[in-house]
Amino acid sequence: MNKTQHTPSVKWLARTLHIAAVLALLACSSCSRIDEEGKVLRLPLRADDPKSLDPVQGSTVYDNKATCQVYETLVQYKYLIRPPELEPLLLSEMPTISEDRLTYHFKLKPGVLFHDDPCFPDGKGRELVTDDVFYSWKRMADNGNNPKSWWLLKDTIKGFDEYREQQNAAVEAQTGSFDYDAPVAGMQKINDHEFRVILKQPVQRFMWVLAMFQTAIVPREAVEKYGDRFGRHPVGTGPFTLAEEDWRPGQRMVFYKNPSYHPCYYPTEHMPSDVAAGWTKDAGKRLPLVDRLEFQFFVQDQPMWLSFRTGKIDYTQVPDEYFDEAFLKRTKQLRPKLVREGITTQNVELLDFIFRGFNMEDELLGGYGEKQKKLRQAISLAIDLDEFNEAFYSGINTVYDGPIPPGLEGFPPDGKADVSYRGPNLERARQLLAEAGYPEGKGLPRIEFYTSSGRNNVEQTELLKRQLGKINVEINAQIVEFSTLIEKVHNKKAPFFGFAWGSDYPDAENNLALFYSPNAAPGSNSFNYSRPEYDRLYEQIRSMPPSPERTELYIKMRDMVIEDTPYTGSMGRTRFYLINPWLKNFKVTEDFYNWPKYLDVTQRGVYPSEN
């Protein structure tokens, strides 16, 4: 079903329900942002549920959003500064780095306490120390934890890969348990608040990785006390706490202000435009600024949109099918009715890689022979991304070749690479399909395609079916919850699948890591792509500082991936947000997610247009 057919009925229902919901809301004191328990943030999370708040088991943006409210990393992004820069969080200062870029000297911030919890003597949270850092990182090496992000530290710290291999081998051979106290050559404790980390080679991304939620610091006592429950019973140092009973799967999570949160303050460093936007008024205030944070889960976009329009959540990302209801299509300006209500808007161009991927280990779609490659190329050439962009994204996405999104080195000029299999080119698609052994699609089995059930993915899948049908390629759509989709991909059970990757840090090396063979599923290489020449180039670039020479290698690797076609794509979104007038200090970003601690709310009032 295309947008023209789908949108009017959705808008009619939205407007009808809006009238009734507003009347109920005006009599509903529970929607207040300030109550007997203090200030309350109510924010949307567009997923069915985070599956675990154990940092080493997290892999999705939804895991990230929830986990970093309770756990913290050594460094964080500066909230108001663009482009992104790092600053200390659990450190007292940024580390000193040796001239050869191999040795990092860290100093922990004194007085940082873990949340009060029964895992500690007398239930009082103890101080974070060096041993906690090393223990937390070692958990990423323990296969028994089902870690999703070992690739972040693989081939990085001296002796760490050897430690991982030895400890897991002992467990598998049943000759011992995983020994967290065994030394790692590159992790050197100086005292409880100082340590050194020695790298195997210079790794350009190392400091960016230390800002990622997967490297957050956890206490050993909590892991050992709660075992399998640890992922639902977080004990961190973060600005908020979460009790198990306050996590209602499929509904919401309720976090409370951490009364023992270490001194952190609203930033004084800012961009010139932040003053006029009102984002500097709370400079110097101690964080967090609210008393309670509620994440409400939305698998479908319509309930999220209605919750925003009835004041039940503080902001919303604008769902694609509601774009015309929020903005004047020609100018992209906010509609006057929303302006009168005090609603404001922001947008951000995402470091975004929207794709449909192939499992390169699949018997039908995988492989590196000419026939297998031509089959994938034919499928790619049949897909019209511009039609997807117009039908589902109001034409505001950037369509481009390769896996490197706009804004990063290696992005092709105007989005068009010298090597390209971007459709639509049905004549060439049919030719390649015949050369792959399936003339006019004859003999080609129906392809299993997995995507998530949220947003407008049902309609997008119907368009995908129609486009591929033009070359007689049939897909069998499996539309599942996002968590199930990721599980299928991690287990290599999805032959053809679709989702998006947001760059973890502003360097194309992060996107190119998606095709490095040691990162195969359940790592970030969901395509299970494996090409030795590509791996050698990746191992070269990961130690190179930014330079024209490194960018040239990025381009070479980009074009190599395009030629092998382990995915079809790409698109990058510009995300539009609407913000209710009582939400303060919200400077939109999707580069990091610990920003709720900077937000504030005032008492909710009645919309001006509803008087």
Side-chain angles (χ1 to χ4, degrees), residues 48-49 51 232 244 247-252 297:
D48 54 324
D49 217 13
K51 291 308 173 187
R232 299 193 62 84
E244 287 188 61
W247 180 354
R248 301 178 186 177
Q251 299 180 39
R252 66 175 186 169
F297 304 147

Side-chain angles (χ1 to χ4, degrees), residues 399-522:
V399 178
Y400 64 94
D401 291 328
I404 301 174
L408 299 182
E409 293 294 325
F411 176 76
D414 300 321
K416 194 74 173 178
D418 292 337
V419 179
S420 178
Y421 292 93
R422 190 204 307 173
N425 187 334
L426 299 181
E427 181 180 353
R428 190 179 180 203
R430 294 185 182 107
Q431 177 186 343
L432 289 175
L433 192 61
E435 292 175 5
Y438 306 104
E440 299 180 354
K442 295 175 182 177
L444 180 64
R446 183 176 294 180
I447 296 169
E448 295 291 315
F449 174 71
Y450 284 81
T451 190
S452 62
S453 56
R455 306 181 191 178
N456 53 25
N457 283 345
V458 172
E459 291 77 17
Q460 290 210 35
T461 302
E462 288 302 314
L463 178 56
L464 180 65
K465 286 181 179 179
R466 178 168 63 79
Q467 290 183 353
L468 293 179
K470 293 179 180 180
I471 62 168
N472 297 321
V473 171
E474 296 184 16
I475 60 173
N476 183 34
Q478 303 289 338
I479 300 176
V480 297
E481 289 186 344
F482 182 79
S483 54
T484 303
L485 166 65
I486 295 303
E487 181 181 358
K488 289 287 185 180
V489 171
H490 282 170
N491 292 331
K492 304 182 181 182
K493 300 296 185 183
F496 190 31
F497 53 90
F499 57 94
W501 171 273
S503 300
D504 296 307
Y505 44 88
D507 189 330
E509 175 269 327
N510 183 240
N511 288 69
L512 295 171
L514 302 181
F515 303 93
Y516 181 52
S517 66
N519 295 342

Side-chain angles (χ1 to χ4, degrees), residues 33-300:
R33 287 328 188 241
I34 302 176
D35 60 21
E36 66 277 1
E37 296 184 15
K39 295 181 177 181
V40 184
L41 286 173
R42 292 192 174 99
L43 308 181
L45 197 152
R46 294 173 80 179
D48 54 324
D49 217 13
K51 291 308 173 187
S52 174
L53 294 196
D54 184 342
V56 304
Q57 294 184 1
S59 63
T60 71
V61 66
Y62 312 111
D63 300 330
N64 189 349
K65 284 184 175 183
T67 300
C68 64
Q69 309 313 319
V70 289
Y71 290 110
E72 294 183 306
T73 49
L74 297 184
V75 294
Q76 66 178 354
Y77 290 90
K78 296 179 180 179
Y79 179 49
L80 297 177
I81 299 301
R82 307 290 188 272
E85 294 181 11
L86 296 175
E87 66 180 359
L89 179 55
L90 292 177
L91 300 176
S92 60
E93 60 188 45
M94 292 298 283
T96 58
I97 306 172
S98 62
E99 189 174 344
D100 61 7
R101 300 167 54 220
L102 292 177
T103 302
Y104 289 67
H105 185 176
F106 295 88
K107 295 182 180 180
L108 291 173
K109 182 179 180 179
V112 176
L113 301 178
F114 286 108
H115 300 157
D116 291 347
D117 189 87
C119 70
F120 301 117
D122 301 320
K124 300 297 292 183
R126 63 164 176 81
E127 187 175 18
L128 178 144
V129 294
T130 294
D131 290 340
D132 296 311
V133 177
F134 292 165
Y135 171 76
S136 299
W137 293 354
K138 287 177 177 179
R139 292 189 69 242
M140 296 178 70
D142 184 350
N143 291 341
N145 293 326
N146 191 27
K148 300 296 192 300
S149 299
W150 165 248
W151 65 275
L152 292 171
L153 292 178
K154 178 179 172 61
D155 294 326
T156 300
I157 299 174
K158 184 178 179 181
F160 201 14
D161 295 82
E162 293 79 3
Y163 165 86
R164 175 178 182 264
E165 183 178 349
Q166 292 166 4
Q167 297 303 321
N168 285 311
V171 173
E172 291 171 7
Q174 299 183 338
T175 59
S177 59
F178 198 99
D179 185 0
Y180 284 93
D181 297 316
V184 173
M187 299 181 186
Q188 299 181 354
K189 178 178 178 179
I190 299 174
N191 55 50
D192 279 348
H193 291 90
E194 290 186 70
F195 59 93
R196 278 187 294 268
V197 174
I198 302 173
L199 306 186
K200 295 171 64 174
Q201 59 184 330
V203 177
Q204 180 63 25
R205 72 179 184 193
F206 181 58
M207 288 304 300
W208 296 116
V209 167
L210 299 188
M212 293 175 62
F213 79 101
Q214 294 96 327
T215 62
I217 311 306
V218 307
R220 186 169 184 168
E221 296 94 325
V223 176
E224 294 180 348
K225 178 177 178 62
Y226 297 112
D228 292 341
R229 287 172 50 212
F230 177 64
R232 299 193 62 84
H233 191 114
V235 183
T237 62
F240 298 99
T241 64
L242 177 71
E244 287 188 61
E245 61 269 22
D246 290 326
W247 180 354
R248 301 178 186 177
Q251 299 180 39
R252 66 175 186 169
M253 307 172 92
V254 181
F255 300 81
Y256 288 88
K257 181 178 181 177
N258 174 12
S260 302
Y261 189 51
H262 57 101
C264 289
Y265 302 92
Y266 194 94
T268 56
E269 189 177 359
H270 60 269
M271 308 299 289
S273 59
D274 294 342
V275 178
W279 296 328
T280 61
K281 293 179 180 179
D282 286 324
K285 288 186 179 180
R286 188 156 176 177
L287 303 174
L289 298 179
V290 299
D291 302 288
R292 192 165 80 246
L293 162 63
E294 298 180 5
F295 277 130
Q296 299 182 21
F297 304 147
F298 297 98
V299 175
Q300 300 295 333

Side-chain angles (χ1 to χ4, degrees), residues 297-474:
F297 304 147
F298 297 98
V299 175
Q300 300 295 333
D301 284 340
Q302 186 192 68
M304 180 181 69
W305 178 255
L306 294 175
S307 290
F308 175 77
R309 292 300 290 129
T310 53
K312 295 177 183 176
I313 54 176
D314 300 331
Y315 75 81
T316 184
Q317 297 170 345
V318 180
D320 304 310
E321 59 267 37
Y322 291 96
F323 190 85
D324 291 348
E325 198 164 313
F327 297 96
L328 300 169
K329 188 167 185 178
R330 184 177 62 84
T331 64
K332 304 296 189 291
Q333 297 296 308
L334 199 60
R335 288 193 176 274
K337 179 181 184 295
L338 301 183
V339 174
R340 290 194 298 270
E341 294 174 2
I343 291 172
T344 56
T345 183
Q346 297 179 48
N347 64 75
V348 59
E349 188 174 49
L350 306 184
L351 294 177
D352 205 18
F353 172 42
I354 303 175
F355 60 85
R356 292 175 178 87
F358 300 105
N359 176 7
M360 295 293 282
E361 295 183 7
D362 184 71
E363 185 176 349
L364 174 64
L365 297 173
Y368 299 85
E370 284 300 308
K371 288 189 175 182
Q372 297 99 319
K373 186 165 66 173
K374 287 178 179 180
L375 172 58
R376 297 190 297 270
Q377 291 169 350
I379 291 171
S380 184
L381 286 163
I383 295 174
D384 184 350
L385 293 179
D386 290 317
E387 184 177 10
F388 275 94
N389 193 17
E390 290 297 329
F392 300 107
Y393 301 97
S394 299
I396 60 175
N397 279 6
T398 299
V399 178
Y400 64 94
D401 291 328
I404 301 174
L408 299 182
E409 293 294 325
F411 176 76
D414 300 321
K416 194 74 173 178
D418 292 337
V419 179
S420 178
Y421 292 93
R422 190 204 307 173
N425 187 334
L426 299 181
E427 181 180 353
R428 190 179 180 203
R430 294 185 182 107
Q431 177 186 343
L432 289 175
L433 192 61
E435 292 175 5
Y438 306 104
E440 299 180 354
K442 295 175 182 177
L444 180 64
R446 183 176 294 180
I447 296 169
E448 295 291 315
F449 174 71
Y450 284 81
T451 190
S452 62
S453 56
R455 306 181 191 178
N456 53 25
N457 283 345
V458 172
E459 291 77 17
Q460 290 210 35
T461 302
E462 288 302 314
L463 178 56
L464 180 65
K465 286 181 179 179
R466 178 168 63 79
Q467 290 183 353
L468 293 179
K470 293 179 180 180
I471 62 168
N472 297 321
V473 171
E474 296 184 16

